[in-house]
Amino acid sequence: MSLSVDMRHRLGALNLEIAFQAPGGVTALFGRSGAGKTTVINAVAGLLTPDSARISLDGQLVLDTRSGHAVPTRKRRVGYVFQDGRLFPHLSVRQNLTYGARFASAAPRTTLAEVSELLGISDLLDRRPGALSGGEKQRVAIGRALLSQPRILLMDEPLAALDSARKAEILPFLERLRDHTDIPILYVSHSVAEVARLATTVVVLENGRVTRSGPAEQVLSDPDMVRQLGVREAGAVLPATVARHHHDGLTELAVSGGRLFLPEMETPPGTATRVRILAHDVILSRELPRGLSALNILSATILALREGDGPGVIVQMQCGEDRLLARITRRSADAMALQPGDPIHAVIKSVSIARTDVGAG
Amino acid sequence: MSDWLGPEEWQALLLSLRVSFFATLLSLPLGILVAYALARWQFRGKQLLNVLVHLPLILPPVVTGYLLLLGFGRQGAIGGWLYDSFGIMLAFRWTGAVLAAAIMAFPLMVRALRLAIEAVDPKLEQAAATLGASRIRVFSSVTLPLILPGLIAGAVLAFAKAMGEFGATITFVSNIPGQTQTLPSAIYAFLQVPGGEAPALRLVVVSIAVAMGALLASEWLARRAAQRVSGA
């Protein structure tokens, strides 16, 4: 367990009572703004001392308010990537990147050249932060945190201040980070899209409490999560492998429950990836549909139905080893007499598996 | 040029430059500490410290000078101890002029430094701490470089104030030519004797030149430092 948090803290009207554990990989702290996410990450970094808490990092107890044991921020070895970057304006990009290295006692795991290469900032080293774009600044901030030889990376909404083009520019680098380093990441976000793309573990915060936590695929395909994610954003995340590229411009992906086709991807066959299938992009059918233009039809078994406040019903299905979510009307659910245990065909509109929703993984 | 000023006038000018230089240099570390404490720390007696620092700005200089004489004179509590323990005498010495000038210039220096420190985003200091920097290193590698323009401005302001200090200096160390007669004291002395208008006027011209030179130099230095710090 790379991080374990058990804390209580009063924050204005909000009473935080949060306990969770983060294994390796990317653990997303997900919740609306004001749910207490930043307070948690600041407590892990030591920038804030909760009213009572026990936090351990990489097997070391860094805070125990009961015994008064507290490791100061500078000795916690956390690489903090702030929402606003916080690059040192008087230092060059190179000096910013190497800032933490002068205090690091551990032998360097990564070099400046490797990190600059990974983040695509090799050409910026002699510039000043003032001459960088928002996306470049944030990549430098990530590199600076990485080069301080951290035991964990803490990222507080690192993309929230960027426009969607800049977000798209940085997300692949975060995926590379997840896949090519073994540093665990605690990632604070209120964006379902980011969480679906990056997270291996999801911890859901609501009003200062952890309401759900577990592997990303499970949490995101939980019909009870739909209320928190919002019906537009609800959807399952499935691990997939690139099978082959077809001549007609489609790429075939293998998921545990069958095959999916989507517009050509650049990743070579054999690459592991993830697809996100939004619940409102799934149509259900009792019979195997014929004469339908949709290419992607997966056979599944209904696990559960959840009625929401509106006219919709969320249907959770088992599809191979993975789970799928579909959002249909209550009228259809009644007309089809859907019951848990029923076999069903899930029709997925090909366009719905958009390229931006496919993350390397 | 060198014979444009008489020997006594030269002496006054050089003494004033020396007194102001040391007054600025010696009060700078304490000024930074006090400004940092006022800008960043919460502690008991913060308001009292603030008032004490600013007092010389409000008090009549002659009062400050007299208080210095009471405290740092041969008979004074601190002055007596300094003399008995180290043989150091401040009253009626040029070193005393340094002390008087430093105290009178201190509020201006602290004000400039405090503004500069308050302008530094504490979030940058937090970021440095997460990267492993101790408090001292955070200060020397982040805060200090960022306040450099303010520090230069504060130091020049203090220097200029020290050059012009008159009331506290003449009360504490008197007006002894060659020892404690600073530029303003010399101008005052020349104006007291018949035929002294010409040398007084020359010293007035020198005073104006030094003040303007200092201000121009500080503008230029602060602009360069600001460019460096702004990150462009």
Side-chain angles (χ1 to χ4, degrees):
Chain A
M1 211 45 63
S2 51
L3 171 70
S4 140
V5 174
D6 187 354
M7 60 175 273
R8 269 158 237 275
H9 188 65
R10 193 164 178 84
L11 193 75
L14 189 65
N15 237 330
L16 290 173
E17 214 176 307
I18 287 164
F20 69 92
Q21 303 208 311
V26 177
T27 301
L29 266 185
F30 174 81
R32 301 215 176 103
S33 40
K37 306 184 297 284
T38 300
T39 308
V40 174
I41 210 168
N42 280 340
V44 174
L47 297 178
L48 171 145
T49 305
D51 298 338
S52 81
R54 212 182 138 82
I55 297 173
S56 54
L57 192 59
D58 202 17
Q60 186 207 5
L61 190 64
V62 294
L63 179 68
D64 184 8
T65 46
R66 200 150 25 147
S67 67
H69 174 78
V71 176
T73 297
R74 67 191 163 91
K75 289 188 176 157
R76 289 202 187 180
R77 292 180 52 212
V78 296
Y80 200 142
V81 180
F82 299 90
Q83 185 176 334
D84 49 353
R86 302 193 193 176
L87 297 180
F88 303 124
H90 58 296
L91 300 179
S92 69
V93 167
R94 186 193 307 275
Q95 289 167 322
N96 265 283
L97 286 169
T98 53
Y99 185 86
R102 34 179 149 162
F103 312 113
S105 51
R109 275 195 290 195
T110 42
T111 65
L112 177 67
E114 283 166 6
V115 168
S116 318
E117 176 69 32
L118 178 78
L119 295 167
I121 48 177
S122 305
D123 296 336
L124 310 175
L125 294 180
D126 295 319
R127 296 227 207 132
R128 293 261 175 183
L132 301 181
S133 72
E136 289 169 339
K137 275 183 194 162
Q138 212 52 342
R139 278 187 277 155
V140 173
I142 294 167
R144 183 179 69 172
L146 262 180
L147 281 166
S148 67
Q149 310 303 335
R151 296 186 289 190
I152 188 170
L153 278 177
L154 306 175
M155 298 194 173
D156 185 11
E157 308 246 13
L159 307 183
L162 305 175
D163 59 43
S164 50
R166 297 282 89 73
K167 277 182 192 159
E169 167 196 326
I170 295 194
L171 272 166
F173 292 109
L174 292 177
E175 285 166 344
R176 280 163 80 171
L177 207 61
R178 176 190 63 198
D179 302 331
H180 296 287
T181 67
D182 51 4
I183 303 171
I185 299 175
L186 185 63
Y187 190 95
V188 161
S189 180
H190 67 262
S191 151
V192 190
E194 277 170 40
V195 171
R197 189 158 164 178
L198 293 172
T200 48
T201 305
V202 177
V203 176
V204 182
L205 295 191
E206 201 178 1
N207 293 323
R209 300 276 191 287
V210 175
T211 51
R212 185 85 166 80
S213 72
E217 285 86 358
Q218 273 180 28
V219 174
L220 292 172
S221 61
D222 182 342
D224 290 335
M225 280 296 299
V226 171
R227 187 179 45 85
Q228 265 162 321
L229 302 180
V231 284
R232 297 246 117 235
E233 296 275 16
V237 172
L238 287 75
T241 313
V242 178
R244 53 187 289 220
H245 299 295
H246 292 273
H247 294 301
D248 56 0
L250 290 181
T251 295
E252 186 179 338
L253 294 179
V255 294
S256 65
R259 304 261 148 173
L260 293 173
F261 296 89
L262 60 159
E264 189 162 26
M265 298 167 63
E266 282 147 28
T267 29
T271 313
T273 179
R274 302 208 299 188
V275 290
R276 180 172 176 228
I277 300 172
L278 292 176
H280 65 73
D281 281 334
V282 178
I283 298 166
L284 299 183
S285 170
R286 282 279 190 198
E287 316 291 328
L288 183 64
R290 292 181 195 283
L292 200 67
S293 68
L295 282 170
N296 297 313
I297 303 174
L298 297 174
S299 299
T301 310
I302 295 180
L303 287 174
L305 294 112
R306 287 279 189 293
E307 296 202 0
D309 299 330
V313 172
I314 295 287
V315 183
Q316 185 193 34
M317 292 158 285
Q318 184 76 35
C319 175
E321 293 159 19
D322 303 306
R323 289 177 177 188
L324 269 182
L325 288 183
R327 180 169 177 265
I328 60 174
T329 59
R330 192 177 302 161
R331 181 178 299 192
S332 304
D334 291 343
M336 293 164 76
L338 297 179
Q339 295 293 333
D342 289 356
I344 198 85
H345 300 281
V347 181
I348 300 147
K349 289 178 267 175
S350 202
V351 288
S352 73
I353 315 170
R355 196 181 294 233
T356 50
D357 275 357
V358 179
Chain B
M1 177 70 198
S2 61
D3 48 1
W4 184 64
L5 290 177
E8 207 173 329
E9 297 151 56
W10 266 115
Q11 259 180 359
L13 172 61
L14 290 176
L15 180 70
S16 261
L17 287 172
R18 185 166 52 163
V19 165
S20 304
F21 175 77
F22 282 106
T24 308
L25 194 71
L26 295 176
S27 58
L28 204 50
L30 187 65
I32 292 173
L33 183 70
V34 170
Y36 195 87
L38 288 175
R40 286 288 153 83
W41 295 339
Q42 296 302 326
F43 55 93
R44 276 166 154 269
K46 185 171 167 174
Q47 270 317 310
L48 185 67
L49 177 66
N50 196 20
V51 167
L52 276 178
V53 165
H54 285 92
L55 214 50
L57 206 60
I58 323 289
L59 279 179
V62 63
V63 171
T64 306
Y66 185 60
L67 288 175
L68 280 175
L69 201 54
L70 289 181
F72 288 87
R74 272 286 302 272
Q75 317 299 326
I78 307 169
W81 173 76
L82 278 177
Y83 186 74
D84 294 341
S85 312
F86 308 103
I88 295 174
M89 183 137 136
L90 292 175
F92 310 111
R93 297 286 194 281
W94 77 273
T95 46
V98 170
L99 179 66
I103 286 180
M104 293 302 288
F106 201 61
L108 293 174
M109 177 184 278
V110 169
R111 271 186 105 79
L113 282 168
R114 182 179 176 174
L115 283 176
I117 291 169
E118 280 171 350
V120 174
D121 190 347
K123 290 172 169 180
L124 287 176
E125 296 168 330
Q126 279 188 344
T130 65
L131 292 164
S134 64
R135 264 170 111 154
I136 295 283
R137 297 297 296 267
V138 170
F139 181 80
S140 65
S141 65
V142 176
T143 320
L144 194 60
L146 289 176
I147 64 169
L148 205 58
L151 192 144
I152 292 170
V156 171
L157 215 56
F159 183 85
K161 172 74 184 167
M163 284 293 290
E165 217 302 301
F166 174 67
T169 307
I170 204 164
T171 314
F172 183 37
V173 297
S174 183
N175 190 354
I176 308 162
Q179 287 186 46
T180 64
Q181 189 173 72
T182 59
L183 208 59
S185 309
I187 294 172
Y188 175 75
F190 279 125
L191 290 177
Q192 301 305 305
V193 293
E197 286 88 352
L201 208 58
R202 284 197 293 269
L203 288 181
V204 165
V205 170
V206 169
S207 293
I208 294 172
V210 169
M212 282 181 62
L215 279 175
L216 285 174
S218 90
E219 282 283 314
W220 184 73
L221 282 168
R223 219 181 2 252
R224 279 198 46 171
Q227 261 170 13
R228 214 176 75 89
V229 159
S230 71

